[in-house]
Each structure stands twice: as C-alpha cells, then as structure tokens.
Amino acid sequence: MGYMKLFGIALAASFAVDLLYLFVFRRRKRVTSGEKAQKGHVIHKVLFFPDAQVSCPRQSQPGGCKMRRCKFTHDTTSLSQLKQYLCSAKKTLDLCVYTISCLDLARTVVDLHHKGVIVRVLTDKEQMEQTGSQVWYFRSEGIQVRHDNTPYFMHHKFAIVDNSLLINGSFNWTRQAITGNSENLLVTNSRRIVRPYIGEFQRLWDTYEPGLLKKRREESEKFLKDLKASETSNGV
Amino acid sequence: MGYMKLFGIALAASFAVDLLYLFVFRRRKRVTSGEKAQKGHVIHKVLFFPDAQVSCPRQSQPGGCKMRRCKFTHDTTSLSQLKQYLCSAKKTLDLCVYTISCLDLARTVVDLHHKGVIVRVLTDKEQMEQTGSQVWYFRSEGIQVRHDNTPYFMHHKFAIVDNSLLINGSFNWTRQAITGNSENLLVTNSRRIVRPYIGEFQRLWDTYEPGLLKKRREESEKFLKDLKASETSNGV
C-alpha cells in the first residue's frame, strides 16, 4: 500500500505541474504579448483599388438592389468590403480624412449617424471648401465636423470603428480613388496599431475645437488690449 | 520492486504527455495562427507627422553630424525613425510612392542602392514630371524606376524592406509632409499584412514594364497593318 500511495502522489504532483503550466505560465505569456491579448480573432485585411467594376450603391440598402437591369455590379468589391466594415459600427465612427466627395460613402456614414452611431468627422479646411465635398451634407444631417486651421494639409485618411477597428491607407474618399487610382486600405483590429490612431484622432479633435479657437482669440485680443492700456497709463 | 517499476512507468508516461503537449499540440497551434507563425518579434509601430523639429540630415551619415552649431535636431523624430527602418534593408527595398521630392529621403534610398540593396521605385507619371521630383536623381544613380501610364493617380505610398517590413500610410515623401502636414505611417512586419503589398508591388511593376508597353504597341500596330492589308487585298 506504501508503493500505491507513492504512485498516487507522483501522479497527483505531475498533474499539478501540468495545471500550473497551463494556467499560470501560459496566462503570464498571454498578458505580456500584445497581439495575443486581443480578445476574439485578429483581423488583418488589405483592400486594393481601383475596383474593376462599380459597386451598386443600392446593394447595402435594406432589401438590397431591386432594379431589374442594374448596370452596377453586385459582386464583392473593395468598396463593398469597405462599406461592410463601416457598417459594422455599433457605437462610434471616427473619420479623419483629407477629402470626402464620394456620395455613396457619405450616405453610408449618414445612415450610421441616423442609426444612432456617434459619428465625428475631421477633415482638411481647403478640401472641405472644394466643389463636391460632402461636408455640407454631413453638417446638414447633424454630424459633428471639425477641420484644421493651418496652411498645411490635414492629410490623414483613416477611420476608427467602435474604437477597435482601423481602416487606413492612401485612399481618399473620392469616386476617382475607387474606380481610377491605384490605392490601398489596411483594415486591422490589432490593439497595438489601433490605439495610437485613437490617440491621434482625439488630439486633433481637441486641437480643432471651434470654441477653443474662439476662446484663444479672445484671450489674445484681451491681453493685447490690456498691454496697450497699461503702456498708455505708464506714458510709454 | 513491482511498485517501484509502476511508479517509474507512471512518471515516464506523465513526462511523455507533457513533452507531447509542448512539442506537438503547441506547434500545431503555432502553425494555424498566422500572427504567431511570425519568426522573431512582431513590429507594429505608428509614426505621426508633422515633426515638431527638423531632423539633421547628417545624423544618419557615418560618424553622425560634426557641425558645431547645427540648427537641426539630433533627437528621435518620426523622420529619423522612418530613415532607420529604411536603413535596416539588407537585400531589397521596393518603393511605391505617388510623389517623392524630399532630398533627405531620396539620399537615404540612393545610399542603400550604393550599399548593394536592390532598390525598385514605382511612382506616378504626372508627379514624376513635377519640379522637385527626385526621380531624375534615382535614374542618374542607376536605380530602376517605373511609372503608371494611366490618366489616374498611382497614389500608393508604401515601402517594403527585405520583403518583410511594410511602411505605409498617408505620408507622401515630401518635405511638407514631414514638417507641415498631419500624416501617419504604420510600420509592421506582420506577414498577413506585408504579403498582399508584396503581391501588389510585383503586379504593378510587371504591368508598367517599359519593354512590355513597347511590345504591346508594336503588336497592335502590326495587327492593324495586317488587317488593313487583308481588307485591301479582298477589295473591301
């Protein structure tokens, strides 16, 4: 019976070591590795443009396209995939794009806004004022839009869906970028990639707050006025 | 002794199961997971522009900057990090950029070419002909350059280092993009991301082969000539 006990203890000890490895050692590894800490599956999808055929803009509407002889394609294209990723938004959509003139994409964004997704758009001042820009459409539908106030370009072209999915590349949100240009978009939910873009969006969003700009101008004007008054009273 | 044998067998069996788990089960997991299949460590680095200060162009030269009162910064900037990633190239550098007019970055590329790195540059035809484009410099140094022949933009802005590291984003390789614009670059060695870009570069490189273009034109001209001759002989 002494040997049977020894045998039992050895088995139990070996089992304990296995469990220790599985739940302690592996857990620690999971925490230290950024990529593995990702909950769910990792998305790394690359989309290239131009699309060989033009996607049907009615395809993504409820019930799909009902046209009998529709001249547009209903197959999967880079544009249709981009729209699918955008439409996966449940809570927020942060859009930071140099230019947006594609009505189909603008409608997708507006539809999300109407569904209750909190949409924020950050764009370039000069591009915003160009003919064809959809910024007027966003504003008329009640979407918050901010723009830079520099002589340089706000040249980013990225979108963040639900603070967890990044869509980024060379792609401007124009019709020419979809059907003519050579363009690319990377779609990823890797936290190590998405997190810096969330930070950059918030930084620019805060920087270009219209109220803040007005406040700063008023402060500067008051400071200069006080300085002038002080100089006059001192007889400078 | 029978029990001791049993004890020994139990221990050996338990040890064998552990080894089986470690080398078979975990290996299979590693092969099925794309991200884990990556050899070495995963790089996911995001760079934002504009740089607050202008990087010293002499900093990356052998021996660094020797100027006593250099007006440029020698701290780490997004530009200095971009140059470091480019200079990590040992064998190949594939550059697919809409426009390149920054002399500092062009010199970095030319230096790599002189060190024996095989450099290929793919760019946009219209941008290539603009004042300030560094394409003339690349060609004069013997670097292979190809361009699109479409009325649209070859609008990509990516680089692939040694077929394993991708540098991609909104960033055009211009001075304004470094010191003025809001821009981003993602640097990654994730195979699932890099692989499609390698494919796209090769596809465009083959498409815009000058010899192929000449051959196609000659074939078309010959076909039309033969057709005309055939029509004339048939009395059409």
Side-chain angles (χ1 to χ4, degrees), chain A residues 77-90:
Chain A
T77 61
S78 289
L79 177 63
S80 73
Q81 290 177 86
L82 166 61
K83 283 165 73 180
Q84 270 186 351
Y85 283 117
L86 291 172
C87 290
S88 71
K90 302 284 178 228

Side-chain angles (χ1 to χ4, degrees), chain A residues 96-98 153-159 166-171 184 186 193 196-197 200-201 204, chain B residues 45-50 78 82 157-158 167-173 177-178 181-187:
Chain A
C96 190
V97 286
Y98 174 56
F153 296 158
M154 204 310 297
H155 198 242
H156 290 302
K157 310 127 189 319
F158 67 83
L166 174 78
I167 306 168
N168 183 45
S170 67
F171 183 83
N184 72 80
L186 167 66
I193 300 174
Y197 285 90
E200 178 69 357
F201 186 92
L204 291 173
Chain B
K45 176 78 185 172
V46 180
L47 304 174
F48 290 112
F49 295 87
S78 290
L82 166 61
K157 309 127 190 321
F158 68 84
I167 305 168
N168 183 45
S170 66
F171 181 84
N172 286 314
W173 293 41
I178 298 163
N181 297 352
S182 295
E183 304 272 7
N184 72 81
L185 273 182
L186 167 65
V187 185

Side-chain angles (χ1 to χ4, degrees), chain A residues 135-152:
Chain A
V135 168
W136 64 270
Y137 178 37
F138 288 156
R139 283 191 161 150
S140 70
E141 295 290 331
I143 292 176
Q144 292 184 79
V145 181
R146 290 186 187 174
H147 59 80
D148 68 320
N149 50 24
T150 72
Y152 299 105

Side-chain angles (χ1 to χ4, degrees), chain A residues 55-67 69-72 74 83 104:
Chain A
S55 275
C56 176
R58 290 173 295 273
Q59 202 180 357
S60 54
Q61 286 171 4
C65 175
K66 284 162 189 162
M67 292 272 284
R69 287 183 189 178
C70 182
K71 61 180 180 175
F72 301 113
H74 301 92
K83 283 165 73 180
D104 191 7

Side-chain angles (χ1 to χ4, degrees), chain B residues 179-209:
Chain B
T179 56
N181 297 352
S182 295
E183 304 272 7
N184 72 81
L185 273 182
L186 167 65
V187 185
T188 180
N189 66 350
S190 163
R191 283 190 198 170
R192 280 172 58 194
I193 300 174
V194 181
R195 205 177 293 140
Y197 284 90
I198 293 172
E200 179 69 357
F201 185 92
Q202 194 57 49
R203 192 187 68 79
L204 291 173
W205 188 254
D206 294 341
T207 304
Y208 298 125
E209 188 199 328

Side-chain angles (χ1 to χ4, degrees), chain A residues 1 3-4 6-7 9-11 14-15 17-18 21-22 25-26 29 35-36 42-50 150-158 166 168-172 176 179-186 188 190 192-193 196-197 200 203-204 208, chain B residues 1 3-4 6-7 9-11 14-15 17-18 21-22 25-26 29 35-36 42-50 150-158 166 168-172 176 179-186 188 190 192-193 196-197 200 203-204 208:
Chain A
M1 280 302 284
Y3 285 120
M4 280 304 278
L6 203 65
F7 175 60
I9 291 165
L11 261 184
S14 166
F15 191 63
V17 168
D18 283 1
Y21 173 79
L22 274 170
F25 179 68
R26 290 203 67 209
K29 272 197 82 178
E35 205 54 49
K36 288 179 202 165
V42 176
I43 299 170
H44 285 327
K45 176 79 185 171
V46 179
L47 303 174
F48 289 112
F49 295 87
T150 72
Y152 299 105
F153 296 158
M154 204 310 297
H155 198 242
H156 290 302
K157 310 127 189 319
F158 67 83
L166 174 78
N168 183 45
S170 67
F171 183 83
N172 286 315
Q176 179 170 316
T179 55
N181 297 352
S182 294
E183 305 272 6
N184 72 80
L185 274 181
L186 167 66
T188 180
S190 164
R192 280 172 58 193
I193 300 174
Y197 285 90
E200 178 69 357
R203 192 187 67 79
L204 291 173
Y208 298 126
Chain B
M1 281 301 283
Y3 286 120
M4 282 301 280
L6 206 64
F7 174 60
I9 290 166
L11 262 183
S14 167
F15 191 63
V17 168
D18 284 1
Y21 173 79
L22 274 170
F25 178 68
R26 290 204 66 209
K29 272 196 83 179
E35 205 54 51
K36 289 179 202 166
V42 176
I43 298 170
H44 286 325
K45 176 78 185 172
V46 180
L47 304 174
F48 290 112
F49 295 87
T150 73
Y152 298 105
F153 296 157
M154 204 309 295
H155 198 242
H156 289 303
K157 309 127 190 321
F158 68 84
L166 174 78
N168 183 45
S170 66
F171 181 84
N172 286 314
Q176 179 171 315
T179 56
N181 297 352
S182 295
E183 304 272 7
N184 72 81
L185 273 182
L186 167 65
T188 180
S190 163
R192 280 172 58 194
I193 300 174
Y197 284 90
E200 179 69 357
R203 192 187 68 79
L204 291 173
Y208 298 125

